[in-house]
Amino acid sequence: MPDNKNNDPLADILADEALVTLDVYHDDGYTTCIVAAILSIPGSERQYVALLPVDAQGEYSPERAWFYRYLIDETDPNAEPDIENITDDEELEAVIDRYDEYLDEIAFDELLSEDEP
């Protein structure tokens, strides 16, 4: 991660080109989040995004993900993606289950790569 002169961990995260960040607006202002995953659920045409909120110390955790619908305007190649709240409990539960599967897949892949010479 890049070294920031001001010792600001959030600035380090924002400067890290490998991480994609997004500022999410809510009642208390904005929260910078790291885009953890874009998810698809079998049988659904929608896409979802898992975001990891970053605290003032630059900390984030895969266990504290926020989930939103991920919207792309397919008719406009220059349009920015957008997010939308998930209001249906069953839909949210399906997204959380898919995210848990995604984390399991990553953990399994890491185990396999550790076994390789």
Side-chain angles (χ1 to χ4, degrees):
M1 188 172 295
D3 223 4
N4 186 287
K5 295 179 213 173
N6 300 328
N7 200 20
D8 180 357
L10 185 54
D12 287 342
I13 287 170
L14 294 174
D16 187 341
E17 294 178 14
L19 297 174
V20 176
T21 62
L22 176 70
D23 288 331
V24 177
Y25 179 76
H26 46 84
D27 293 338
D28 298 331
Y30 286 93
T31 299
T32 297
C33 298
I34 295 171
V35 176
I38 305 294
L39 305 166
S40 296
I41 296 177
S44 174
E45 293 182 18
R46 289 186 169 147
Q47 287 189 307
Y48 301 90
V49 62
L51 302 176
L52 306 179
V54 179
D55 66 20
Q57 290 75 38
E59 301 290 323
Y60 55 92
S61 169
E63 289 81 29
R64 287 188 25 226
W66 294 352
F67 303 98
Y68 294 91
R69 289 185 189 126
Y70 183 73
L71 309 171
I72 301 173
D73 182 357
E74 308 256 342
T75 63
D76 183 358
N78 299 320
E80 292 286 325
D82 201 3
I83 60 173
E84 177 179 87
N85 288 329
I86 301 170
T87 56
D88 180 75
D89 290 342
E90 287 182 30
E91 180 182 10
L92 179 58
E93 191 62 39
V95 174
I96 292 169
D97 289 345
R98 178 61 191 109
Y99 179 67
D100 288 341
E101 290 172 7
Y102 170 77
L103 292 178
D104 290 344
E105 292 166 7
I106 291 173
F108 183 73
D109 289 346
E110 288 176 2
L111 282 174
L112 287 179
S113 66
E114 288 175 4
D115 291 339
E116 294 177 2

